[in-house]
Amino acid sequence: DGGITQSPKYLFRKEGQNVTLSCEQNLNHDAMYWYRQDPGQGLRLIYYSQIVNDFQKGDIAEGYSVSREKKESFPLTVTSAQKNPTAFYLCASVPLGQGRGYTFGSGTRLTVV
Amino acid sequence: GDSVTQMEGPVTLSEEAFLTINCTYTATGYPSLFWYVQYPGEGLQLLLKATKADDKGSNKGFEATYRKETTSFHLEKGSVQVSDSAVYFCALTDKNSGGSNYKLTFGKGTLLTVNP
């Protein structure tokens, strides 16, 4: 079955480390997104990409980086510049064409230790 | 810019009670509207959608009608079950916001707890 796979499900980061969250989809969707979810704050957009080798900053891109070398993959790196990275991270994808809902992965919970 | 305002809750109901979660929106163009559901520790699942005014989205007993005159998309269910306990998000994409970027704008979510 097609879907979005996020890994790992749980991730622990030490202070000053960079970590990379994986997002892979086999839905042949064009656009992919990364959201951050914090309690009581809903979802906030970090980065998004509509085509390979192109991506755009969202509302809270500082301290994060992404790449889109393949249509199926959109990894997110949380750098040491992100001062408060503990959160639940969600990846999503959608085919081009208005009115279509996103498909979400099951999320990665990142904790700073 | 686009925005979504929904009842923040938490909402606590007894099984078989009637559910309404209010959602209103602000958009510059002609949005498509969505309700997503999130169960504990999981990602979001699309519950229902409506793409134009007066459309009614429905799924699993949940319904919402796209009301352009009141800019609303309230979620309703006639008889909730314990298994409906989750966080519900209202969201929109606007055809005219920045062209074809298809960004979803979310409300902050409403926690629903249904007691037996």
Side-chain angles (χ1 to χ4, degrees):
Chain A
D1 288 339
I4 297 183
T5 300
Q6 288 188 244
S7 61
K9 190 171 180 65
Y10 299 96
L11 186 58
F12 298 90
R13 192 194 93 167
K14 294 182 180 179
E15 296 282 352
Q17 273 186 337
N18 293 353
V19 292
T20 298
L21 284 60
S22 172
C23 178
E24 303 277 335
Q25 54 101 355
N26 60 3
L27 300 165
N28 199 34
H29 286 177
D30 304 282
M32 298 185 73
Y33 304 79
W34 275 105
Y35 284 88
R36 170 178 171 145
Q37 186 177 23
D38 296 280
Q41 295 198 46
L43 279 73
R44 293 183 289 170
L45 181 63
I46 305 172
Y47 269 98
Y48 64 101
S49 167
Q50 290 185 284
I51 57 174
V52 174
N53 293 323
D54 186 56
F55 46 83
Q56 308 296 326
K57 291 183 178 180
D59 302 316
I60 57 165
E62 185 175 353
Y64 300 97
S65 65
V66 293
S67 63
R68 188 88 185 276
E69 298 177 0
K70 299 185 300 181
K71 188 176 184 179
E72 303 79 19
S73 178
F74 191 42
L76 173 74
T77 297
V78 184
T79 75
S80 57
Q82 172 49 239
K83 297 307 179 187
N84 185 24
T86 295
F88 191 50
Y89 291 86
L90 287 162
C91 180
S93 70
V94 67
L96 290 178
Q98 190 51 263
R100 310 222 186 169
Y102 287 8
T103 299
F104 280 85
S106 57
T108 293
R109 185 165 297 281
L110 174 62
T111 304
V112 174
V113 295
Chain B
D2 299 340
S3 68
V4 175
T5 302
Q6 65 178 101
M7 184 165 68
E8 291 192 11
V11 175
T12 302
L13 296 173
S14 298
E15 206 165 22
E16 299 183 3
F18 184 85
L19 169 70
T20 299
I21 300 178
N22 290 337
C23 172
T24 57
Y25 67 88
T26 302
T28 54
Y30 307 95
S32 296
L33 303 173
F34 305 87
W35 277 100
Y36 282 84
V37 58
Q38 184 180 33
Y39 299 102
E42 298 183 10
L44 277 68
Q45 301 174 26
L46 179 63
L47 182 59
L48 53 85
K49 67 176 184 179
T51 57
K52 61 183 187 295
D54 299 325
D55 271 1
K56 178 186 283 188
S58 61
N59 186 27
K60 299 180 180 179
F62 291 90
E63 292 184 341
T65 300
Y66 188 140
R67 301 288 188 198
K68 189 176 181 181
E69 64 275 14
T70 55
T71 62
S72 65
F73 193 54
H74 304 321
L75 182 68
E76 296 182 335
K77 186 175 185 182
S79 177
V80 294
Q81 306 299 312
V82 172
S83 57
D84 294 327
S85 298
V87 180
Y88 292 82
F89 291 92
C90 185
L92 69 82
T93 62
D94 191 337
K95 295 181 179 65
N96 291 333
S97 62
S100 59
N101 59 25
Y102 304 112
K103 282 193 296 180
L104 264 180
T105 299
F106 287 90
K108 292 190 174 183
T110 301
L111 173 62
L112 170 66
T113 301
V114 180
N115 296 317

